[in-house]
Amino acid sequence: MKCEHCTRKECSKKSKTDDEENASVDAPRSANEKEEKCDTSKHRVLAVSVCPQSLPYFAAKFSLGVTDASRRLCGFLKNLGVHYVFDMTVAADFSILESQKEFVRRYRQHQEEERALPMLTSACPGWVQYAERVLGDPITPHLCTAKSPQQIMGSLVKDYFARQQNLSPDKIVHVIVAPCYDRKLEALREDYYAALHDSRAVDCVLTSGEIAQIMEQSDLPVTEAAVDTLFGGLEEDEVRRHGGASADGYLVHVFRHAAKELFGEDVEGVNCRALRNKDFQEATLEKNGKVLLRFAAAYGFRNIQNMILKLKKGRFPYHFVEVLACPGGRVGGCLNGKGQAQAEDGQADRALLRQMEGIYAGIPVQPPEASKHMWRLYQEWLDGTDSPRAQQALHTTHPSSEPPASSLDIKW
């Protein structure tokens, strides 16, 4: 009997063993000998969410456009037994918008609260692990409290989608496909699943390279399938990206929003200029010779450690910093994750990275504010944009502790 929640075509649960069935194949069935129905409560629904920065990798691997590559990947996963495949862009929309609102709030109160600024982004799990476990206080109060796209997607799947499907969160196995190994550590954080009926928001993370390896070793037919939506029944969206760097562009989006909200300035393009090296860049908003906003991007641990030293000495003049553990943020960023851009010798695959950068740059840009799905979710899922439910689902806290004395001597 076919079961809609099984990962196999046929449910293996039957009323008799195969030997018993073979022995009585010619015997007539009595009225009481009916095949037992599958108990779907004992099965789990398998859902996979794909990071936007993973798609250029598969497009390069398949020699396809990014939308066709997305459909090819989705087809493979569903042939493998996955029930639902989601795009994570809507989760990044939430993370960016909540970061925008938090920065404006912090800017307005920073004179009363010393450590409200600079606000440091918290979407990169490698950087957040370093800040929380090595640096501790006084750095963690500067971390943005908006959850990362992975954390928000976990809540969307295990909370909103589970209720839409009338499923308990623990009946859904949620897998993330990501470019970065550090996403695996992020999925293990205890505070990201406590509110979901003791079910982890993300049960497993596989890197893009690991999925590609599974594909190469599989003999499943090559097919294409439409990516699912959290709402069900809606037409599939074209792949899109956010403006700015391939790390979802927090700097660009927060800068534009803050310029408009705080100073009434409309900013079309955000120009970042490299300072001490290409991975430490600065963007400023000036009016009548006065600097109103000073933003920075710090990529790679060398720049992160320089930033921390200056911040502790009170010599760091920035209001906001987009922080990434991976170097090459303005051109590589999360595309440069070791889960997809690493050659066999352990070094970065430069040729592949350049190809992925070109593919990513060609994806149509849509600002998070233009996402109709996100605004619908704010109302249906969170009871509004500033509700207690939105705060609980979209924000987190960062543990604060005293760092080891030699924390800045770590060799990266």
Side-chain angles (χ1 to χ4, degrees):
M1 174 175 288
K2 186 177 181 180
C3 170
E4 63 177 329
H5 295 306
C6 280
T7 57
R8 297 174 61 89
K9 293 292 184 182
E10 300 292 325
C11 176
S12 59
K13 184 176 181 181
K14 297 180 179 180
S15 58
K16 295 185 177 183
T17 66
D18 288 340
D19 289 339
E20 290 172 330
E21 187 72 347
N22 291 336
S24 60
V25 66
D26 295 323
R29 292 181 181 271
S30 68
N32 294 326
E33 286 184 289
K34 294 181 179 178
E35 187 175 296
E36 186 177 346
K37 288 186 177 180
C38 172
D39 182 1
T40 59
S41 67
K42 296 185 178 181
H43 297 299
R44 294 178 184 267
V45 173
L46 182 56
V48 174
S49 299
V50 182
C51 291
Q53 292 84 10
S54 290
L55 292 179
Y57 171 79
F58 290 106
K61 283 287 186 181
F62 301 153
S63 298
L64 293 173
V66 72
T67 298
D68 290 337
S70 174
R71 293 176 63 86
R72 174 85 57 93
L73 173 63
C74 182
F76 172 77
L77 292 171
K78 291 194 172 182
N79 283 339
L80 203 61
V82 174
H83 299 101
Y84 300 96
V85 179
F86 301 116
D87 171 46
M88 282 179 57
T89 304
V90 69
D93 289 336
F94 274 117
S95 184
I96 290 171
L97 260 67
E98 291 299 312
S99 298
Q100 290 177 175
K101 291 190 292 185
E102 181 173 344
F103 175 77
V104 169
R105 175 182 59 78
R106 284 179 179 240
Y107 186 92
R108 287 172 171 161
Q109 69 184 41
H110 77 278
Q111 289 183 339
E112 291 77 24
E113 186 177 335
E114 182 181 351
R115 293 192 291 184
L117 295 179
M119 187 175 93
L120 311 176
T121 59
S122 58
C124 171
W127 150 241
V128 172
Q129 290 279 330
Y130 179 57
E132 291 179 344
R133 298 189 179 188
V134 179
L135 302 175
D137 191 71
I139 300 302
T140 50
H142 292 280
L143 291 175
C144 178
T145 68
K147 289 183 179 180
S148 74
Q150 175 170 304
Q151 297 156 26
I152 293 174
M153 195 68 196
S155 297
L156 278 167
V157 170
K158 289 293 187 84
D159 185 16
Y160 176 80
F161 181 72
R163 287 191 283 113
Q164 293 292 101
Q165 299 295 315
N166 197 27
L167 288 167
S168 172
D170 63 354
K171 296 303 179 186
I172 300 177
V173 176
H174 185 209
V175 179
I176 297 287
V177 177
C180 173
Y181 285 106
D182 288 334
R183 295 291 174 194
K184 296 174 184 279
L185 295 175
E186 181 181 19
L188 295 175
R189 288 186 55 145
E190 296 295 320
D191 54 321
Y192 293 156
Y193 77 101
L196 293 171
H197 309 285
D198 293 327
S199 172
R200 290 192 180 276
V202 175
D203 298 287
C204 176
V205 175
L206 294 173
T207 66
S208 315
E210 288 169 335
I211 291 291
Q213 187 176 15
I214 294 171
M215 297 178 78
E216 290 168 358
Q217 297 173 353
S218 172
D219 58 358
L220 291 174
V222 177
T223 59
E224 293 187 358
V227 175
D228 299 289
T229 72
L230 293 164
F231 307 100
L234 289 182
E235 186 175 332
E236 178 189 18
D237 287 335
E238 289 293 311
V239 174
R240 60 183 177 84
R241 69 176 178 90
H242 298 112
S246 51
D248 276 325
Y250 284 82
L251 185 152
V252 168
H253 291 291
V254 175
F255 189 95
R256 286 174 176 165
H257 178 78
K260 180 66 174 179
E261 190 75 13
L262 295 170
F263 305 106
E265 296 289 327
D266 290 306
V267 177
E268 290 297 326
V270 179
N271 296 316
C272 294
R273 60 183 181 275
L275 297 182
R276 63 178 61 91
N277 58 65
K278 64 181 177 63
D279 282 336
F280 192 93
Q281 303 195 8
E282 178 184 84
T284 58
L285 176 68
E286 300 182 28
K287 188 174 183 179
N288 298 327
K290 180 181 179 181
V291 175
L292 304 178
L293 292 174
R294 192 185 298 273
F295 280 32
Y299 305 132
F301 276 100
R302 181 184 300 175
N303 288 316
I304 289 174
Q305 289 185 337
N306 287 333
M307 173 190 76
I308 292 162
L309 287 171
K310 291 188 176 183
L311 183 58
K312 286 184 173 182
K313 293 178 180 179
R315 299 176 183 174
F316 197 68
Y318 298 99
H319 300 112
F320 175 96
V321 189
E322 182 181 77
V323 188
L324 288 179
C326 288
R330 297 308 298 174
V331 292
C334 293
L335 294 179
N336 199 21
K338 293 187 181 298
Q340 66 181 24
Q342 189 167 294
E344 292 183 1
D345 61 0
Q347 300 299 313
D349 188 332
R350 297 297 179 188
L352 176 60
L353 183 57
R354 285 193 297 271
Q355 188 178 0
M356 288 192 291
E357 290 166 4
I359 293 169
Y360 189 84
I363 299 174
V365 174
Q366 178 179 299
E369 295 88 347
S371 171
K372 61 182 185 297
H373 293 340
M374 185 196 60
W375 295 114
R376 176 177 171 180
L377 285 164
Y378 263 123
Q379 299 306 316
E380 291 186 1
W381 177 38
L382 302 173
D383 304 323
T385 56
D386 298 309
S387 68
R389 186 172 176 81
Q391 178 66 29
Q392 179 186 30
L394 303 178
H395 290 263
T396 187
T397 57
H398 298 283
S400 182
S401 61
E402 288 298 322
S406 60
S407 63
L408 289 179
D409 295 329
I410 291 178
K411 304 300 181 184
W412 296 96

